[in-house]
Amino acid sequence: MPGLRTFALTVAVRGGARMEDEARSGWSHLLEHLVFKGAGDMGARDIVERIEAEGGSINAATGYERTSFDIRALHGSLPLAMQVVSDLVFRPTLDPVEIIREKDVVAQEIAEAFDTPDDHVFEMAQTQAFAGQSLGRPILGSVESLAPADRAAVTDWRARLYSPDRMVVAVSGAVDEAELLALAERWFGQEAASPAPTIAPAVFVGGEARLARRIEQANLVFQLPGLAATDPGLPALRLFTEILGGGMASRLFQSAREDRGLAYAVDAYQEPYEDGGLLGIYAGAAAERAVELAEVCAAELLDLAEKGPTEAELSRAKAVLNAGLWMSDESPASRAGRNAAQTLIFGAPVSSEDSAARILDQDADDLRAVGRGMAARGLTSTAVLGPKAAGRAGAAFAARLKGDDAPAGALKRLR
């Protein structure tokens, strides 16, 4: 990226919580923590000090399908950045004392997630959506599943997870291609590959979860089966999601918040996995109005699926997604992360021009098709966390989506 004095490095691994069986739930996230406790000739403090001494920053994240290590730094620091990440993924110390200590840290993280209602409600919905599957278990795992993780077991898991043939090294910004290729060969090209853990196909099961807690607000998540990352209908689903609940001009925001005052926060999102996905709605509401809000959310989704978007809605959604794409193109970190993820999924990066063209090519019929396809399956995953009075909200959303008779009131006021 000409004119920049910094670069962003992302080393992404095709592997994460989805590769775990139930007995190893949370091990990928634990491993990501542990490699920062010491690697190569570096202790925990050395790792961050070496990067920060060059004005850089380092971070990592574990997801269901990918684990990524990210460094931002000044031009000239790429050799150091590549060596540090290589040591983290291939040569971590995995000290037994640190393993015990870090399991306690993750236990605190698990407790913190439980204590945060608008985090925990998503875990509840995910568990229902993919019940009995690795996609349905929390990325953090549980205290019980982490207990057997000792040095030998974690060392074996590292070798299976961080295999070089399932890694992508992506750099954007102030970078010289010849230097990068030489460094990639030196630090990542000499390691032995390992067999990939078997991943079972994703199956959206659906279900209802409720958790009554003495808090002020009800936290609601409603999910439907979505599309895979490779599905040609994904651009249409992205537009559908934007129109449904992507911003302040979205249907959910205008209908639920502005017109009725049912919620302070309400939005829609979509999560594509390699072979499946989901469309979701999150909202927070007063418990006594949660059922009405659930019905409004379902009705707005159905209305958009059946009638399709207006010309103005479609045009606005295209503009928003198109602008977001080009804005991310101007960020070295966004570009490196996106290119790494796309290479793992598609085998090569997808140009921004191609991505923009796919978005702009969609019409109202395309959005109607994906909307009807999701609704027609009749599957929902719902989670309600908050006062008992909100408990029926998940069932109300599911019933309305399936076309069951709904109570008179809010639904009749929709378009």
Side-chain angles (χ1 to χ4, degrees), residues 132-382:
Q133 304 164 63
S134 54
L135 271 177
R137 293 190 286 270
I139 291 173
L140 300 180
S142 66
V143 172
E144 293 75 19
S145 65
L146 295 177
D150 57 19
R151 189 176 194 277
V154 174
T155 298
D156 177 69
W157 187 246
R158 184 216 62 80
R160 297 178 65 189
L161 196 67
Y162 296 165
S163 185
D165 58 318
R166 298 191 295 277
M167 288 184 181
V168 172
V169 177
V171 186
S172 294
V175 58
D176 177 80
E177 182 179 357
E179 179 189 31
L180 170 61
L181 292 175
L183 290 169
E185 178 62 29
R186 176 181 179 185
W187 293 111
F188 292 86
Q190 311 300 321
E191 300 295 329
S194 62
T198 302
I199 301 177
V203 179
F204 190 103
V205 177
E208 179 186 359
R210 303 182 192 181
L211 180 58
R213 291 175 66 178
R214 293 182 178 178
I215 55 178
E216 292 298 320
Q217 191 178 53
N219 294 266
L220 316 171
V221 172
F222 312 124
Q223 295 178 335
L224 284 72
L227 300 177
T230 55
D231 194 298
L234 192 61
L237 178 56
R238 293 181 62 199
L239 290 164
F240 185 99
T241 307
E242 177 65 30
I243 293 168
L244 179 64
M248 293 175 67
S250 69
R251 292 194 177 192
L252 289 177
F253 192 93
Q254 290 297 314
S255 181
R257 189 185 192 276
E258 298 295 276
D259 294 349
R260 295 173 174 81
L262 291 173
Y264 174 73
V266 58
D267 57 68
Y269 59 93
Q270 52 94 25
E271 187 72 54
Y273 301 111
E274 290 186 6
D275 58 350
L278 54 82
L279 168 73
I281 296 170
Y282 166 78
E288 62 272 12
R289 305 199 71 184
V291 170
E292 182 184 0
L293 175 58
E295 293 167 348
V296 168
C297 289
E300 288 291 356
L301 193 157
L302 286 174
D303 186 80
L304 181 56
E306 288 301 316
K307 299 177 183 177
T310 66
E311 185 176 338
E313 285 177 324
L314 184 57
S315 177
R316 183 170 58 246
K318 287 181 177 180
V320 169
L321 294 188
N322 199 34
L325 174 64
W326 295 111
M327 288 176 187
S328 71
D329 231 28
E330 296 174 359
S331 162
S334 295
R335 185 182 287 197
R338 186 182 68 210
N339 287 347
Q342 289 175 342
T343 301
L344 288 172
I345 295 169
F346 301 108
V350 178
S351 73
S352 296
E353 290 77 10
D354 285 348
S355 295
R358 292 173 190 175
I359 291 170
L360 297 175
D361 282 347
Q362 305 302 307
D363 59 27
D365 288 339
D366 296 321
L367 273 65
R368 254 193 306 268
V370 297
R372 288 173 175 173
M374 289 184 297
R377 294 181 62 180
L379 288 172
T380 59
S381 164
T382 65

Side-chain angles (χ1 to χ4, degrees), residues 72-121:
R72 286 298 311 274
L74 293 169
H75 176 62
S77 301
L78 186 59
L80 171 66
M82 294 283 279
Q83 178 185 353
V84 168
V85 178
S86 175
D87 282 343
L88 291 178
V89 297
F90 295 131
R91 290 170 288 280
T93 307
L94 301 179
D95 184 283
V97 174
E98 294 292 354
I99 292 175
I100 294 172
R101 183 178 294 133
E102 207 59 28
K103 283 195 282 188
D104 288 340
V105 171
V106 175
Q108 296 174 47
E109 192 175 356
I110 293 170
E112 181 184 22
F114 181 82
D115 286 344
T116 309
D118 54 353
D119 280 350
H120 187 59
V121 71

